[in-house]
């Protein structure tokens, strides 16, 4: 029993240290958002605020159109979540359960695209968006990531483990592929859909580079792009940046708290090896 307790204590200690390393910067950012800028710049820095203030948030909302940027980020993220859940699951179903010419080659191209950094594709994507006249539009921001190779791979891996007998029985009863997909396959894909939705929302919410390139007016800015205004050429307002970071991080934390059960279940059941 004593040996088991010591092992358990070591495990808890290791988990505690890991939690401190991961959560420490976020906690410092949250506490710093209530500090005056002079205290943030103090050397050595303080962890717990010595002077509490809400002026950082007040000034942030006065200097940056946070409401408009928040609405833009939310709209783009929700549209991308919806399109990825629908189209990635459709493509994943086709790769997992349908037979067609060139299937292995097409899925191989999806896997290859997983290894290509997004920055490499940015220039040709921007040229295409500019040719289509979609610069400084929501469609231009959304279109390149309507379907993602990671989402296709995740859904394909999960759907491959579903019993083929369900599909064969539905086909015998006269059901078409769309009916099979929407009435049989999709209702069974709750965990991977929740995981894909969270990953897609997080990637869209934190995306800075592509919206910064396509959005060329302040009315189109997302939250990360709008906060970049505070990173001035002459001086950086750290108090406003940490306050803005809290505004950006808070929705993600709440979303993860509510969906963490589905997220963990989805990671465990998508066939990732």
């Amino acid at each position: 029993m004593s040996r088991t307790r010591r092992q358990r204590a070591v495990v808890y200690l290791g988990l505690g240290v890991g939690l401190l390393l991961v959560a420490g910067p976020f906690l410092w950012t949250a506490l710093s958002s209530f500090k005056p800028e002079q205290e943030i710049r103090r050397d050595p820095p303080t962890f717990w605020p010595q002077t509490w203030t809400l002026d950082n948030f007040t000034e942030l909302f006065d200097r940056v159109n946070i409401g408009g940027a928040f609405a833009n980020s939310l709209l783009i993220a929700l549209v991308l979540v919806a399109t990825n859940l629908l189209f990635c699951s459709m493509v994943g179903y086709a790769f997992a359960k349908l037979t067609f010419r060139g299937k292995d080659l097409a899925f191989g191209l999806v896997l290859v695209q997983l290894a290509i950094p997004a920055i490499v594709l940015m220039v040709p994507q921007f040229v295409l968006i500019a040719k289509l006249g979609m610069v400084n539009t929501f469609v231009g921001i959304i279109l390149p990531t309507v379907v993602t190779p990671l989402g296709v791979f995740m859904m394909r891996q999960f759907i491959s483990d579903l019993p083929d007998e369900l599909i064969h029985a539905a086909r015998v009863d006269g059901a078409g592929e769309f009916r099979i997909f929407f009435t049989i396959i999709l209702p069974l894909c709750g965990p991977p859909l929740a995981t894909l939705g969270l990953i897609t929302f997080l990637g869209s919410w934190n995306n800075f580079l592509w919206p910064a390139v396509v959005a060329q007016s302040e009315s189109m800015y997302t939250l990360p792009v709008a906060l970049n205004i505070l990173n001035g050429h002459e001086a950086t307002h750290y108090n406003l940046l940490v306050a803005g970071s809290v505004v950006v991080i808070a929705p993600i934390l709440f979303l993860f708290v509510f969906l963490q059960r589905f997220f963990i279940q989805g990671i465990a059941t998508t066939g990732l090896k």
Side-chain angles (χ1 to χ4, degrees):
M1 290 295 295
S2 60
R3 182 179 180 182
T4 302
R5 290 177 179 175
R6 287 197 299 267
Q7 292 175 345
R8 185 178 301 175
V10 171
V11 171
Y12 286 158
L13 179 61
L15 292 176
V17 172
L19 177 63
L20 183 62
L21 292 176
V22 173
F26 295 101
L27 183 58
W28 183 88
T29 300
L31 292 175
S32 296
S33 65
F34 298 99
K35 301 177 184 177
E37 185 171 9
Q38 296 81 359
E39 186 175 347
I40 295 177
R41 294 177 178 270
R42 183 177 301 174
D43 187 19
T46 59
F47 183 78
W48 196 263
Q50 296 181 355
T51 303
W52 292 81
T53 180
L54 293 175
D55 293 342
N56 297 336
F57 293 96
T58 302
E59 186 177 355
L60 174 68
F61 280 82
D62 289 339
R63 300 185 60 167
V64 181
N65 184 16
I66 293 295
F70 187 94
N72 292 343
S73 292
L74 185 62
L75 173 64
I76 294 171
L78 292 179
V79 171
L80 285 177
V81 168
T83 57
N84 273 268
L85 293 185
L86 177 62
F87 296 135
C88 290
S89 56
M90 281 184 169
V91 178
Y93 169 67
F95 280 134
K97 298 301 183 181
L98 301 184
T99 301
F100 54 90
R101 182 177 300 177
K103 181 172 103 171
D104 294 337
L105 176 61
F107 186 66
L109 293 177
V110 172
L111 296 180
V112 169
Q113 193 171 355
L114 283 172
I116 300 177
I119 190 81
V120 176
L121 303 175
M122 185 165 295
V123 172
Q125 285 176 347
F126 180 78
V127 172
L128 179 60
I129 292 297
K131 292 291 185 180
L132 294 174
M134 296 179 180
V135 176
N136 201 37
T137 64
F138 287 118
V139 177
I141 299 175
I142 293 171
L143 189 59
T145 49
V146 163
V147 181
T148 59
L150 177 61
V152 172
F153 176 75
M154 288 180 58
M155 297 308 301
R156 186 260 183 190
Q157 295 299 98
F158 181 85
I159 296 175
S160 295
D161 293 333
L162 297 180
D164 294 334
E165 290 76 12
L166 293 175
I167 300 174
H168 295 330
R171 288 172 180 165
V172 170
D173 290 339
E177 296 301 333
F178 280 99
R179 184 178 177 184
I180 292 173
F181 172 76
F182 283 107
T183 61
I184 298 176
I185 301 298
L186 207 57
L188 297 175
C189 295
L193 287 176
T195 303
L196 177 59
L198 184 58
I199 293 175
T200 304
F201 189 93
L202 179 62
S204 172
W205 190 263
N206 291 332
N207 191 13
F208 167 76
L209 195 55
W210 179 251
V213 172
V214 178
Q216 299 183 354
S217 63
E218 189 172 348
S219 61
M220 296 296 302
Y221 284 173
T222 59
L223 272 176
V225 180
L227 293 179
N228 189 56
I229 299 175
L230 303 174
N231 190 15
H233 297 289
E234 297 180 358
T236 300
H237 304 279
Y238 293 107
N239 58 326
L240 303 183
L241 284 176
V242 293
S245 299
V246 171
V247 174
V248 173
I249 293 172
I252 298 297
L253 290 179
F254 285 116
L255 187 65
F256 182 77
V257 168
F258 286 113
L259 295 179
Q260 62 175 333
R261 179 169 62 89
F262 299 100
F263 179 76
I264 296 172
Q265 186 179 358
I267 289 295
T269 57
T270 48
L272 299 177
K273 298 181 177 63

